[in-house]
Amino acid sequence: MDADGDALMWHRFRSFDRSVQLLMLNQFAINTGFYMLMPYLAGHLAHGLGMATWTVALVLAMRNLSQQGLFLLGGALADRLGYRPVIIVGCLLRTCGFALLGFAATLPALLVASAMTGLAGALFNPAVRAYLAHDAKDRRVEGFALFNVFYQAGILAGPLIGVALMTTGFPLVCWAAAAVFALLTVLQLLALPSCHSTTDGPTGLLAGWRIVVKNRPFLLFTLAMSTSYVLAFQIYLALPLHLGSTGGVSALFVVSAVVAIGGQLRITVWARTRWSSGQAITRGLALMALAFLPLAITSWTGTGCCDGMRLTAVLTCTVMLALGSALTYPFEMDTVVLLARERLVATHYGLYNTVAGIGITLGNVLIGTLLGSSVRPAPWLLLAAAGTSGAIAVHFLTRGGHATDALPSEALTASQPKPEEPRPDTSAAKSDGIAGLTTPLGARAAGDRPR
């Protein structure tokens, strides 16, 4: 990111409330601590502890299952107890889980540690997003765009710190990651204000779940968007397997994070001044679907056997996936809040993440099977078709009114492009570089240009 981009990001960051700033810094630290350890866990289990492949898979599956399977519970607890205590407990649990991973050498202890780290994510993930949505208020799209910059920066920094610490042994990596979460726990206790969900009527866990699962527009949107998570996850599965080279695989993560960090805010500014939320999400999904066509073409023509062509196709796919995700993410997070009518938001995020996790699991099983088939373009064509179906579904949901049926009138107004109309002088906002994001969708001052 250039100097002007750094200045714009800093101005936007400073323009938010202190609680939102803290949540963004928290997410950077959460991802840094997580990714400095998790990429090296499988190698430690297999080579450091000499565990069988099935036990390595079981330990990793325990973390994923305890997180994806308990997102709904974590979100419901956040709505019932308040976001702050659930975030704190989540950070504390991950502190204990990572510390235990540094000591554990038996399967039962490793399963307990993995379950603790997964449950921690299920607690603070929906709570952090609901808290940010609450305090960012009408600047949610801008807030989630900046949040994703910190999110991706943590993904980029974590493995670099982890690989440096691995020279001293895996236990030290675990304890360093645990120290990050211990500091986060203390920071939340000292600096994070209390914040509660907006609820009317019944607030029990079962009552809240019933409200969410009866929200048909939200469920339809969630199912449509699950395809985007299947596509985005292929940077961890299909692309590394197709590429093979260890150095090339590392490059994928760097390229993806750098594109998101450098382009997120500019992409959001550009899209927000031209499209409604539904249009931005649809175009983002379409771009993610197109990302797999270069791989399908090289597989079909046989040029994918050449290392250079294979690397080019994979990197092209990675960049397009990162751009599509950057375009989609802020608007989808905002749409979840709107479909929830700003009520039981964490529970809605919890179910949203659970469905995404189920979609990723089912998609990975199918894609993993096709990667070994004789029809080489098959997995890439299936991924492109899945992304296209998701884009079409979101288009008709927003255009046909199925998704917007749940929105209050003021939300509908905010989510659609507005005609040009005279506005108060925004020169002060422009000087801070935030005019593009604070301008309503589709409404731009004359001469204003995305930067």
Side-chain angles (χ1 to χ4, degrees), residues 211-224:
I211 291 171
V212 174
V213 298
K214 288 181 180 179
N215 188 341
R216 184 171 177 270
F218 164 74
L219 293 179
L220 291 173
F221 178 75
T222 298
L223 290 171

Side-chain angles (χ1 to χ4, degrees), residues 74-86:
L77 288 174
D79 282 327
R80 184 171 178 80
L81 304 176
Y83 304 140
R84 179 177 179 270
V86 174

Side-chain angles (χ1 to χ4, degrees), residues 176-435:
V180 170
F181 280 93
L183 289 174
L184 275 177
T185 304
V186 175
L187 183 62
Q188 315 313 306
L189 285 168
L190 296 178
L192 190 65
S194 295
C195 181
H196 290 271
S197 169
T198 301
T199 57
D200 299 310
T203 57
L205 292 181
L206 293 179
W209 288 343
R210 282 195 294 269
I211 291 171
V212 174
V213 298
K214 288 181 180 179
N215 188 341
R216 184 171 177 270
F218 164 74
L219 293 179
L220 291 173
F221 178 75
T222 298
L223 290 171
M225 288 304 300
S226 65
T227 59
S228 71
Y229 288 86
V230 176
L231 270 57
F233 193 85
Q234 299 316 307
I235 193 174
Y236 301 99
L237 177 66
L239 298 186
L241 290 176
H242 185 66
L243 194 57
S245 166
T246 303
V249 170
S250 300
L252 297 185
F253 296 100
V254 173
V255 168
S256 178
V258 168
V259 169
I261 294 168
Q264 178 68 73
L265 297 179
R266 291 180 174 85
I267 290 169
T268 304
V269 169
W270 189 86
R272 200 166 185 259
T273 56
R274 289 163 174 80
W275 302 324
S276 69
S277 293
Q279 290 171 333
I281 295 170
T282 300
R283 285 160 172 79
L285 284 170
L287 181 59
M288 295 176 74
L290 290 173
F292 293 96
L293 292 185
L295 290 163
I297 293 171
T298 55
S299 298
W300 187 272
T301 60
T303 54
C305 297
C306 169
D307 288 343
M309 290 297 295
R310 183 188 298 116
L311 179 60
T312 300
V314 169
L315 287 177
T316 300
C317 179
T318 301
V319 170
M320 293 177 70
L321 283 175
L323 291 173
S325 296
L327 174 56
T328 300
Y329 181 78
F331 297 100
E332 69 168 292
M333 291 293 102
D334 180 56
T335 300
V336 170
V337 180
L338 295 177
L339 291 173
R341 294 179 178 267
E342 302 186 20
R343 180 187 179 205
L344 298 174
V345 173
T347 308
H348 281 81
Y349 276 135
L351 182 57
Y352 189 83
N353 289 333
T354 298
V355 173
I358 294 172
I360 289 171
T361 301
L362 296 177
N364 285 351
V365 171
L366 183 56
I367 296 302
T369 302
L370 291 176
L371 283 171
S373 71
S374 58
V375 185
R376 289 179 295 182
W380 317 121
L381 291 175
L382 179 62
L383 288 165
T388 302
S389 66
I392 292 172
V394 171
H395 170 72
F396 281 105
L397 284 172
T398 54
R399 184 182 181 186
H402 297 290
T404 54
D405 284 345
L407 302 184
S409 58
E410 62 270 19
L412 284 171
T413 304
S415 65
Q416 297 298 327
K418 297 180 181 179
E420 296 284 355
E421 60 184 17
R423 297 185 301 143
D425 181 25
T426 57
S427 57
K430 289 182 183 179
S431 67
D432 285 341
I434 63 173

